[in-house]
Amino acid sequence: MNNIAIFASGTGSNFLAIHQAIKEKTLNASISLFVSDKPNSVSAKMALELGLNVYIFNSKSYKNKKEYEVEILQKLRQENITLIVLAGYMKIIGKTILDEYERRIINIHPSLLPLYKGKDAIAQAYNDNALKTGVTIHYVDKGIDTGDIISQEEIKIDPEYSLSDIEREIHKVEHSLYSKTIQKLS
Ligand code: GAR
């Protein structure tokens, strides 16, 4: 059973889906820490409302990435975190955390990697008139969206789909695939 730290910067729908799966006991794990660089994000507000152990930092108050990651690492150690789950976390994980949590950090990305890496992956597929896209869950390494793939699920893109139709279909898959994949890593 994994003891999870969720890292999120955005709307937190994946975080909420994981939290829900634990509550409904379809995922055997615990969330002992929530980390965010965005105090006003929906995800951070949600984590506080859920009464989780929340750590929020402002990266601009530190000299460099190492300084704030050393602090995060202390929290991860204090809580005996076994798996870091990135759920819309928009900062790149640096060497400090990567070295201690090698192959114990996972990320969700809204494309069939290695296609459409980086930002706005859903829009990249849409603008490319792709006939399919999907969701990838992968280990985090020092590259951007380059780590070993753990699971993937494909979505067919109907040529009539708008960008928001594709976003809706992607999120539907994300919300079930992330918990199922974490369960397999237990
Ligand atoms: C998700 O679609 C996730 O795949 C994407 O951010 C969204 C976060 O949504 N991540 C990336 O693009 C990482 N490169 P959420 O805040 O509602 O979970």
Side-chain angles (χ1 to χ4, degrees):
M1 174 182 144
N2 271 306
N3 185 27
I4 295 171
I6 301 267
F7 284 37
S9 317
T11 49
S13 69
N14 281 286
F15 154 51
L16 200 60
I18 293 165
H19 186 272
Q20 194 65 21
I22 293 173
K23 217 169 111 185
E24 289 166 0
K25 299 195 190 314
T26 52
L27 170 57
N28 183 25
S30 50
I31 302 173
S32 294
L33 184 63
F34 174 93
V35 175
S36 184
D37 59 317
K38 294 271 183 277
N40 294 320
S41 62
V42 178
S43 55
K45 287 179 185 158
M46 225 150 54
L48 286 166
E49 272 171 28
L50 290 167
L52 293 180
N53 178 15
V54 172
Y55 178 68
I56 293 174
F57 67 98
N58 177 358
S59 59
K60 294 198 179 88
S61 316
Y62 297 83
K63 269 200 310 248
N64 51 42
K65 190 183 286 283
K66 182 171 180 182
E67 260 195 8
Y68 68 73
E69 285 204 340
V70 164
E71 270 188 30
I72 295 173
L73 202 51
Q74 278 170 1
K75 302 274 173 199
L76 295 168
R77 286 179 183 149
Q78 265 168 24
E79 298 299 332
N80 294 314
I81 297 300
T82 59
L83 184 72
I84 298 174
V85 173
L86 308 186
Y89 181 64
M90 288 309 173
K91 290 219 158 304
I92 292 164
I93 301 286
K95 191 173 160 41
T96 309
I97 296 178
L98 273 176
D99 281 353
E100 189 151 326
Y101 276 86
E102 207 195 341
R103 285 184 93 78
R104 291 193 295 152
I105 311 173
I106 62 173
N107 182 43
I108 189 160
H109 185 77
S111 78
L112 292 176
L113 288 173
L115 285 176
Y116 311 127
K117 290 183 183 148
K119 274 193 175 170
D120 301 323
I122 304 175
Q124 288 184 52
Y126 176 71
N127 293 331
D128 208 17
N129 295 316
L131 292 174
K132 63 176 191 180
T133 186
V135 174
T136 302
I137 294 163
H138 63 94
Y139 288 109
V140 173
D141 65 9
K142 59 181 189 318
I144 295 177
D145 303 325
T146 52
D148 287 350
I149 292 170
I150 309 166
S151 61
Q152 277 187 320
E153 197 170 319
E154 189 182 302
I155 291 158
K156 296 224 176 335
I157 304 178
D158 185 318
E160 302 291 308
Y161 275 0
S162 65
L163 179 58
S164 61
D165 288 332
I166 308 175
E167 281 167 352
R168 183 197 60 233
E169 294 303 307
I170 289 266
H171 286 133
K172 223 191 283 171
V173 168
E174 286 190 333
H175 296 163
S176 70
L177 187 64
Y178 219 177
S179 298
K180 276 192 251 168
T181 305
I182 295 169
Q183 182 61 35
K184 284 189 191 142
L185 296 176
S186 292

